[in-house]
């Protein structure tokens, strides 16, 4: 996720976070300064019903991101000033705030946003007796599954690139966002479509196409903000790509702070 200068994520390490406490945000105002949110493969179906999303190539890795659209004043059309959101279901990384996933070389580490409303002297300890607090074990496991889904997303994006069905989104600077080329997908050879179907890429390509209808919806109804200090939970992400990711996610465990070996 991209943040303003004022609030940045940092690795969740004992050296930096010993003695600090965390609590959930009282609402979703924090999301108004976030320009895009990274997506894992298992949440594509759910996010497709809520937000437009696109492929990006970051450092040679294919990823999926959902831009949080900006209005004319620079704010988000999906997050309101009172902290409510115009979404029925939030992407994983927004649900897990103030925790974050951060790249570290070829791996990822668990991080936390330096948000004074969520991190400080009030709430639950981040570290106890020099170790990540046991209350954060479910958070760490959830992020491990998320990172496994990022690698699935890279394979999906690579397959679509090789099949030549990804195109840069028009009218953007730098060509950072890519979308499914519907004509190229429709005219792809049968053996290519079979291969894309078997590795989950065909479903992802169609989902990306479907998600774009949200670009034509300027406003949506509000959903109540999250109550203060609600425990961080991970909703069960069951989607059409689950069969592809189950073998990666089963039994996934972490060492404190590490999301990938």
């Amino acid at each position: 996720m991209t943040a303003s200068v004022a609030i940045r994520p940092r690795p969740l390490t004992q050296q930096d976070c010993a003695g600090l406490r965390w609590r959930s945000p009282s609402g979703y105002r924090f999301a108004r300064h976030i320009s895009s949110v990274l997506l894992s493969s298992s949440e594509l179906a759910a996010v497709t019903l809520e937000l437009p999303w696109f492929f990006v190539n970051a450092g040679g890795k294919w990823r999926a991101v959902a831009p949080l659209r900006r209005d004319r004043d620079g704010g988000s059309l999906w997050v309101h000033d009172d902290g409510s959101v115009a979404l029925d279901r939030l992407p994983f990384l927004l649900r897990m705030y103030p925790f974050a996933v951060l790249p570290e070389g070829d791996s990822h580490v668990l991080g936390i946003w330096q948000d004074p409303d969520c991190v400080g002297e009030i709430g639950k300890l981040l570290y106890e007796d020099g170790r990540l607090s046991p209350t954060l074990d479910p958070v760490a496991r959830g992020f491990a599954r998320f990172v496994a889904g990022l690698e699935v997303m890279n394979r999906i994006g690579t397959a679509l690139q090789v099949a030549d069905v990804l195109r840069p989104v028009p009218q953007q600077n730098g060509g950072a966002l890519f979308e499914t080329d519907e004509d190229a997908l429709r005219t792809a050879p049968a053996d290519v479509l079979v291969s894309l179907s078997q590795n989950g890429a065909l479903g992802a390509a169609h989902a990306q196409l479907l998600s774009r209808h949200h670009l034509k919806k300027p406003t949506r109804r509000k959903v109540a903000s999250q109550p203060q200090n609600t425990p961080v939970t991970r909703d069960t992400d069951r989607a059409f790509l689950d069969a592809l990711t189950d073998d990666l996610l089963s039994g996934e465990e972490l060492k404190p702070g590490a999301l990938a070996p």
Side-chain angles (χ1 to χ4, degrees):
M1 289 186 288
T2 304
S4 67
V5 175
I7 300 177
R8 297 276 187 186
R10 67 181 179 187
L12 183 57
T13 63
Q14 198 275 337
Q15 179 180 359
D16 293 335
C17 300
L20 290 178
R21 296 175 179 267
W22 72 273
R23 57 180 177 172
S24 298
S26 58
Y28 296 101
R29 291 183 183 87
F30 69 85
R32 288 188 63 82
H33 66 264
I34 296 172
S35 63
S36 63
V37 60
L38 187 66
L39 305 174
S40 187
S41 60
S42 62
E43 62 180 332
L44 289 187
V47 173
T48 296
L49 300 177
E50 301 286 346
L51 288 165
W53 64 269
F54 299 90
F55 295 95
V56 297
N57 191 295
K61 296 278 190 178
W62 284 100
R63 300 289 187 241
V65 298
L68 301 180
R69 292 180 62 201
R70 302 286 173 158
D71 58 28
R72 294 181 180 178
D73 298 324
S76 172
L77 291 176
W78 310 102
V79 185
H80 303 292
D81 290 335
D82 62 2
S84 62
V85 290
L87 301 170
D88 292 320
R89 181 181 173 88
L90 290 172
F92 175 84
L93 289 183
L94 295 186
R95 299 200 310 269
M96 299 301 284
Y97 192 92
F99 298 99
V101 61
L102 302 175
E104 187 176 79
D106 294 331
S107 182
H108 293 83
V109 297
L110 186 61
I112 193 164
W113 289 86
Q114 300 178 90
D115 187 337
D117 290 335
C118 300
V119 180
E121 299 179 355
I122 301 174
K124 301 177 182 179
L125 282 171
L126 291 168
Y127 275 84
E128 297 180 25
D129 300 323
R131 299 174 60 86
L132 198 66
S133 171
T135 61
L136 295 182
D137 287 346
V139 175
R141 288 194 296 269
F143 272 96
R145 289 187 287 265
F146 180 86
V147 169
L150 294 183
E151 293 310 308
V152 174
M153 204 65 243
N154 180 49
R155 293 201 292 272
I156 286 173
T158 299
L160 293 174
Q161 180 190 34
V162 171
D164 197 29
V165 295
L166 292 182
R167 297 288 184 271
V169 175
Q171 298 179 346
Q172 60 168 330
N173 296 323
L177 299 179
F178 291 80
E179 62 185 2
T180 303
D181 185 321
E182 189 171 5
D183 291 333
L185 189 63
R186 185 184 302 112
T187 58
D191 60 330
V192 171
L193 293 176
V194 169
S195 177
L196 293 178
S197 177
Q198 290 174 341
N199 60 28
L202 184 61
H206 283 301
Q208 196 279 317
L209 282 170
L210 290 172
S211 79
R212 298 199 312 235
H213 86 279
H214 297 295
L215 294 170
K216 300 178 181 179
K217 298 165 67 175
T219 60
R220 290 187 60 186
R221 65 180 179 83
K222 294 184 180 181
V223 176
S225 61
Q226 178 179 347
Q228 178 66 37
N229 223 15
T230 300
V232 171
T233 60
R234 177 186 181 272
D235 293 344
T236 301
D237 289 318
R238 302 305 299 172
F240 60 86
L241 292 175
D242 280 355
L244 182 64
T245 60
D246 275 347
D247 60 331
L248 294 172
L249 309 188
S250 60
E252 188 75 34
E253 297 291 341
L254 299 182
K255 295 179 180 179
L259 293 180

